[in-house]
Structure formats: C-alpha cells, structure tokens
Amino acid sequence: RQSPYVPVAAEADQKQGGQLWSLDHLWFFSDRLVLKNQLTLKTGYVDVFPNSGDLSTPGHGGSVGAQNSENYGFYSYNRRSRLQFDPKATYYLDDFFGDHELAVGGSVTGLKESTLSGRPGNIWFVDRLETPYDETSDTVQYYWVESSGPRRQDAQGLQTALYVQDAWKPIETLTIRGGLRFDRAALLNDQDKE
C-alpha cells in the first residue's frame, strides 16, 4: 500500500521490465589484426495504471485535505527499444617506439519509444473542501477535467559514432591512450521531424 489514507483501488500500480540480447563476433584476421562486431538489442517497458486495473471508471484525486477515492486518475504504457551495432578493428604494432594498439571503430544505434497515456473514463475528478467524493450526496464538492481520449506519443532516433584511438606503451609499465571521436545524435518525433 502506498498510503493508509487512500483506498487500495485509488492507488497506482507500476510494472517495469525488459530484455537484453547481445551477439559478439571476433575474427582473428591475422596475428596482428582483430575484427570485432557486436550487435545488441535492448527492450524495456514501464507501465503505470490504476491498482484496480479499471480504465473506464474515472479517478478522483483529493485536494484541500480530501483523499483520493474511487480509482487512480492516470495511466501510462511506455515501450522502448534500442538496437546497436558496434564494429571495431584493432591492429597491434610492436617495436615502433614502443608497442601500439591502434583501433578504428564506430557505432550505429536506432532508438524507438512509444507511450500511450490518458485518464480512466477520459475524465478526472478533483474532490475538494476536505470532503471525499460521495455519490449519494447532493452537494457538489468537486470539479472535473475532461480529455478526448488516450494520447499516443512516438519518437525515434539515430545515434552514430566514429573513432580512432591508440594505446601506446613506450615502456612496459606506462600506457598512454589518445584518440579522436565523432558523435551525432538525431531524435525524430512521430512526424519524422528532427
């Protein structure tokens, strides 16, 4: 229970989870050149909904001392996915003013998110004046907010990166790392506008 002062039906429930899948491929092209490819898929969800599971009965939120009652007043179902590909080539160069681990690589990531949210019954009541909602009373001690229905939001994006780097060991006990990296991220709305 979230609060001893709120009926269980008027509380929210939240569920979340996801999956992570990954494939790695190593190709030893020679004793000096190694190619590595990694493909990763990550999915997730976050759902917030009335504890009652009822999406048709309007919720009542309390204000000015009134408590929430009847049903929780909001729901949201969120889905996310991320597909990422990371190729990398590493070349091992020995005895050139020390040892070098030269690498060039990149990353391409596709993102997608979809959210469906709304109010149960497409209306939300706010009870006030320190009196909870009572359907048998003739006294109107609430106001309401209506909605036209659930709202859907979709977004997607593309992230890209390129890099070169070197891990230089001039002596056995010292490693100096350096490199250059370029990143670009573009997020698009449901009308494919950046």
Side-chain angles (χ1 to χ4, degrees):
R1 298 224 18 188
Q2 296 167 355
S3 169
Y5 304 106
V6 177
V8 174
E11 292 182 342
D13 194 1
Q14 178 173 321
K15 293 188 173 154
Q16 61 188 44
Q19 296 182 352
L20 176 64
W21 296 84
S22 182
L23 294 172
D24 283 357
H25 173 258
L26 280 174
W27 181 20
F28 295 92
F29 192 73
S30 70
D31 60 342
R32 294 187 181 275
L33 180 61
V34 177
L35 302 177
K36 179 181 179 181
N37 294 305
Q38 184 176 44
L39 183 66
T40 305
L41 174 64
K42 183 178 182 181
T43 63
Y45 69 92
V46 178
D47 295 341
V48 178
F49 49 90
N51 203 24
S52 64
D54 182 0
L55 297 182
S56 59
T57 301
H60 286 256
S63 71
V64 195
Q67 68 177 2
N68 294 351
S69 61
E70 294 298 304
N71 200 10
Y72 187 69
F74 179 75
Y75 63 87
S76 173
Y77 298 96
N78 179 279
R79 300 291 179 270
R80 302 171 190 179
S81 63
R82 175 186 185 104
L83 181 62
Q84 183 170 339
F85 176 60
D86 297 300
K88 178 182 178 183
T90 304
Y91 185 76
Y92 297 92
L93 178 62
D94 299 331
D95 301 324
F96 184 74
F97 302 104
D99 295 336
H100 296 266
E101 187 178 317
L102 302 164
V104 60
S107 179
V108 178
T109 305
L111 308 164
K112 187 173 183 179
E113 181 175 18
S114 179
T115 303
L116 179 69
S117 61
R119 302 273 181 194
N122 296 327
I123 193 167
W124 180 50
F125 291 92
V126 178
D127 299 331
R128 57 186 178 173
L129 300 177
E130 301 183 0
T131 305
Y133 171 71
D134 181 3
E135 62 185 29
T136 62
S137 172
D138 293 332
T139 304
V140 176
Q141 302 213 33
Y142 59 85
Y143 65 91
W144 66 91
V145 179
E146 295 185 46
S147 65
S148 59
R151 180 176 64 175
R152 181 176 210 69
Q153 294 174 296
D154 295 309
Q156 55 189 351
L158 181 65
Q159 295 176 333
T160 54
L162 292 171
Y163 64 89
V164 292
Q165 65 187 35
D166 183 16
W168 175 38
K169 292 183 84 169
I171 58 175
E172 187 63 32
T173 58
L174 176 65
T175 302
I176 300 171
R177 299 179 189 275
L180 294 171
R181 183 179 175 103
F182 170 78
D183 287 281
R184 182 171 188 318
L187 295 176
L188 306 175
N189 63 15
D190 54 0
Q191 297 171 355
D192 292 332
K193 292 184 180 176
E194 193 171 333

